[in-house]
């Protein structure tokens, strides 16, 4: 494994390398959530409250880690919809990063904005959607 590997392997298969997109494209939403849980940090989770972020549905994963995962996944609209529906804070941020701009509709934007529970989800989603709506 390279020192810059994002996530540690969850399986013992010899060819498992989470830095390769071909593996992640076969992962379902549950496996992605498991990857996020591996990166959860209890201190970060507790510290979210200091920044006005409700951590009730959060795992405590730092946003740079979520963004690294999004870069590996690239665009996967169906996964984005499933991630959003988990109601998990970091999964929703990830959803806004991997949603396919070509498939984001005004109805989807309206639906997701009704679910905004914190400023950081709003900030990330609106940043992602601004490229779509401009």
């Amino acid at each position: 494994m390279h020192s810059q590997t994002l996530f540690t392997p969850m399986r013992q298969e010899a060819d498992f390398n989470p830095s390769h997109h071909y593996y992640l494209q076969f992962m379902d939403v549950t496996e992605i959530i498991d990857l996020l849980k591996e990166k959860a940090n209890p201190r970060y989770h507790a510290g979210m409250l200091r920044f006005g972020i409700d951590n009730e549905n959060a795992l405590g994963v730092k946003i740079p880690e979520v963004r690294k995962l999004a870069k590996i996944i690239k665009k996967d609209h169906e996964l984005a919809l499933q991630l959003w529906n988990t109601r998990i804070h970091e999964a929703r941020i990830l959803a806004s990063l991997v949603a396919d701009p070509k498939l984001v509709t005004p109805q989807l934007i309206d639906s997701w904005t009704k679910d905004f529970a914190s400023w950081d989800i709003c900030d990330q989603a609106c940043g992602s959607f601004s490229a779509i709506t401009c």
Side-chain angles (χ1 to χ4, degrees):
M1 285 262 153
H2 299 291
S3 61
Q4 294 183 346
T5 299
L6 175 63
F7 294 102
T8 56
M10 294 171 38
R11 292 161 189 76
Q12 297 301 316
E13 295 140 2
D15 63 347
F16 177 79
N17 185 339
S19 65
H20 289 107
H21 180 67
Y22 67 85
Y23 181 78
L24 286 174
Q25 71 185 4
F26 297 110
M27 294 182 79
D28 64 20
V29 68
T30 304
E31 292 171 307
I32 297 292
I33 298 303
D34 288 343
L35 289 175
L36 288 170
K37 286 178 180 177
E38 285 183 22
K39 298 306 277 185
N41 180 321
R43 284 187 64 196
Y44 185 76
H45 182 263
M48 293 170 81
L49 294 173
R50 287 194 322 264
F51 296 98
I53 300 169
D54 181 3
N55 66 4
E56 184 178 341
N57 291 322
L59 301 171
V61 180
K62 294 180 180 181
I63 298 307
E65 295 295 334
V66 176
R67 288 188 180 135
K68 286 178 190 176
L69 181 55
K71 281 185 177 183
I72 294 169
I73 294 171
K74 301 196 186 328
K75 297 299 177 195
D76 186 332
H77 198 72
E78 184 58 36
L79 178 62
L81 298 174
Q82 293 172 13
L83 287 165
W84 190 269
N85 288 335
T86 67
R87 303 179 50 93
I88 297 171
H89 182 85
E90 294 84 352
R92 285 188 164 177
I93 291 175
L94 181 59
S96 72
L97 293 166
V98 302
D100 185 341
K102 296 173 191 147
L103 300 175
V104 173
T105 63
Q107 294 80 14
L108 179 65
I109 293 171
D110 287 345
S111 172
W112 282 14
T113 56
K114 289 176 186 171
D115 291 336
F116 289 167
S118 68
W119 65 267
D120 63 332
I121 292 176
C122 175
D123 190 51
Q124 181 59 61
C126 289
S128 296
F129 293 158
S130 69
I132 296 164
T133 58
C134 290

